[in-house]
Amino acid sequence: MSPTPTANLFTVARPPPANLRQALADLLAVPAEAVDVADADGDQEGRNWNAPVLCTWRLLPPGDLALELDITVRDATAADLAEKDLAQGLAIRTGGSVLYPSGLDLPSAYWAAVPDGRTVRCRLEASDVSDGTAYRVAAAEEDIPDLPRASVEDLPEILDRQPLDTPVSDAFLATFPTGSARSAEGRVHYGLRVWERLVRRLETGWAPSGRYREDLFHRDLQGRDALEQLIGEVDEAYAGALREAVTRLDGTFLEYTETKSAGDGTTARWWWNRIPRRAPW
């Protein structure tokens, strides 16, 4: 039985097996003979399963990606290299972008390690074809030279799944009832976290990526609209604490935003009349 892979990567280019072997040997500072490289669909009997580095490649159907790589590195050889490090090292040494998973709970979310040293978030789409699975990089946050068909845009699904601390929401919602998504309770859970996530983005300078979209900013303001109404709908036992939590978040929102310039128009709700001090779109 083959070992569990250390990294599952995709390559845009199709480097020959000998080039993959040498690239991995250079990256991991081991002799080339310490790296076993083989086709997943080829004969496995002659493989050196005890090699410090195992790389199994699979040719993909026509699409944006050429090879799928399963790489296993023994602990003593890895030298604390993460999947990202392997992807970046291979991209630089083979001259083609290498994709690795983002770590988010989203199958389409990947990073592309580009030969120029950048790492760029991208959206990977898979489609079943007669001879396997083909892949297309539909969009990326920056231009990737060897993926010219990918549109360049901020990816809303990535932004929505970025881990962000929400201590105010956590404290209030720990004792607040749960409910269906359409119930007042369910809408409080959603709206309060949406509002705090926006506040934390503002507070941290739009960490971790420095990016956000104006349409998402407006969606989050609508979450604040909903909270204003919900404070009057929830049980009186919770209304005061909810108002207190929202007010605390409002204070941080005020600190990191400024009043819109004249001519932008106004609305009855003050949060719609403010914009970020530094807009990330």
Side-chain angles (χ1 to χ4, degrees), residues 180-196:
S180 67
R182 293 185 178 183
S183 68
E185 293 79 11
R187 287 181 287 138
V188 167
H189 277 263
Y190 172 78
L192 190 60
R193 291 200 188 280
V194 162
W195 187 234
E196 183 163 10

Side-chain angles (χ1 to χ4, degrees), residues 116-170:
D116 60 17
R118 291 178 298 142
T119 53
V120 180
R121 284 196 181 277
C122 60
R123 180 190 300 142
L124 183 64
E125 297 180 351
S127 58
D128 293 330
V129 295
S130 59
D131 51 348
T133 303
Y135 294 92
R136 179 175 78 99
V137 179
E141 289 184 337
E142 298 175 18
D143 177 65
I144 302 174
D146 54 357
L147 290 169
R149 295 188 296 175
S151 64
V152 178
E153 60 183 86
D154 291 330
L155 308 177
E157 71 274 20
I158 300 289
L159 294 169
D160 268 347
R161 285 169 174 77
Q162 290 283 6
L164 291 168
D165 292 332
T166 53
V168 173
S169 300
D170 294 345

Side-chain angles (χ1 to χ4, degrees), residues 154 159 198 201 206 211-213 216-217 219-220 280-281:
D154 291 330
L159 294 169
L198 175 61
R201 292 181 194 278
W206 308 99
R211 300 173 179 273
Y212 208 51
R213 287 170 52 131
L216 296 183
F217 179 76
R219 178 206 61 186
D220 298 344
W281 45 79

Side-chain angles (χ1 to χ4, degrees), residues 181-248:
R182 293 185 178 183
S183 68
E185 293 79 11
R187 287 181 287 138
V188 167
H189 277 263
Y190 172 78
L192 190 60
R193 291 200 188 280
V194 162
W195 187 234
E196 183 163 10
R197 282 174 63 84
L198 175 61
V199 164
R200 299 306 166 207
R201 292 181 194 278
L202 285 160
E203 186 179 44
T204 58
W206 308 99
S209 66
R211 300 173 179 273
Y212 208 51
R213 287 170 52 131
E214 191 171 12
D215 59 333
L216 296 183
F217 179 76
H218 290 159
R219 178 206 61 186
D220 298 344
L221 295 183
Q222 291 171 351
R224 178 63 180 84
D225 290 345
L227 288 172
E228 192 70 10
Q229 177 181 340
L230 287 163
I231 290 170
E233 294 184 14
V234 300
D235 190 289
E236 291 183 4
Y238 300 102
L242 177 57
R243 168 60 75 185
E244 181 181 349
V246 172
T247 300
R248 286 181 60 189

